[in-house]
Amino acid sequence: MEEFQRLAEERERQEAEETWLQREAIAQRQFQIDEAKRRQEQEEVERLQWEQAKERAEREEIQRKQREEEIRRSAKAAAEFDAMMESMNEYLNNPRLENPPSHLLRVMETHPEERPCEFFSRTNFCRYGHACTFNHRRPMLARIILIRHFFNHSMLQGRQPHTEYSSGEEHLELTEQDLRSDYDEFFNDAVEELEKFGTIVNFRTVRNTLEHLRGHVFVEYTNERSALRAFTNLQGRYYASKRLNVEFSNLKTWRGAVCGT
Ligand SMILES: [Zn+2]
């Protein structure tokens, strides 16, 4: 009986121990799973951090290259500009050079890969300016110069003259006649000045009420040297309290320079 009791206790203890071992094994296993998961999460965080750092480094590298490219490009443009100015000076001051150096006869293009801007080709001016997506082709040097908004007249403003033109009861409206005589005065004035740079073949003013074309004056000289002389002397000078803006023109037809009727 005593022996039986002892065996029963022994079995009970063994069972208890086995249960404990089983629980311990489960706990161990759970710990390993948790640990593996934690490690995986940690690795994921590290991987993301590394990727972000890599992306940042790549971005900075691209920005650095862009800055370098910009500096290179502006240095190149400045060198080209200096070379162009030098050529222009040489051409201006050396009468033995009959024709302009070939690289002054280049055409500058805003979007060489695009089709030409019809408006710019026709009038040498486009209301969209630099924002235009079509190609603006502008000669670096030509026999014709364009002086934007050179002729300024209230008849071209497309609105009624201001009351200061009226006197007393008598309402003086500007007439075609006034425009004509004011234009003649402007013309004589301008031609006298512009002839100082060379012989003028053509002098055309755009009579157009569209603001971006209004009063543009095209002056054609017999040769590029005269046009260049006019350009360098007039650019930035003031006329009738307005700063002159002179550029070279490759206008095909005079009629085309006028928009509409
Ligand atoms: Zn355009």
Side-chain angles (χ1 to χ4, degrees), residues 80-115:
E80 273 173 12
F81 182 79
D82 287 348
M84 182 194 74
M85 289 307 285
E86 205 174 301
S87 293
M88 283 189 169
N89 272 329
E90 197 195 346
Y91 175 55
L92 269 186
N93 301 316
N94 184 357
R96 277 173 309 171
L97 278 178
E98 197 177 324
N99 293 313
S102 61
H103 74 270
L104 288 186
L105 295 174
R106 272 186 309 169
V107 173
M108 294 173 284
E109 300 185 88
T110 52
H111 297 284
E113 69 288 353
E114 293 294 335
R115 66 182 178 84

Side-chain angles (χ1 to χ4, degrees), residues 21-31:
L21 280 173
Q22 268 176 6
R23 279 214 204 101
E24 182 60 18
I26 290 169
Q28 278 288 338
R29 179 84 193 110
Q30 189 59 45
F31 176 77

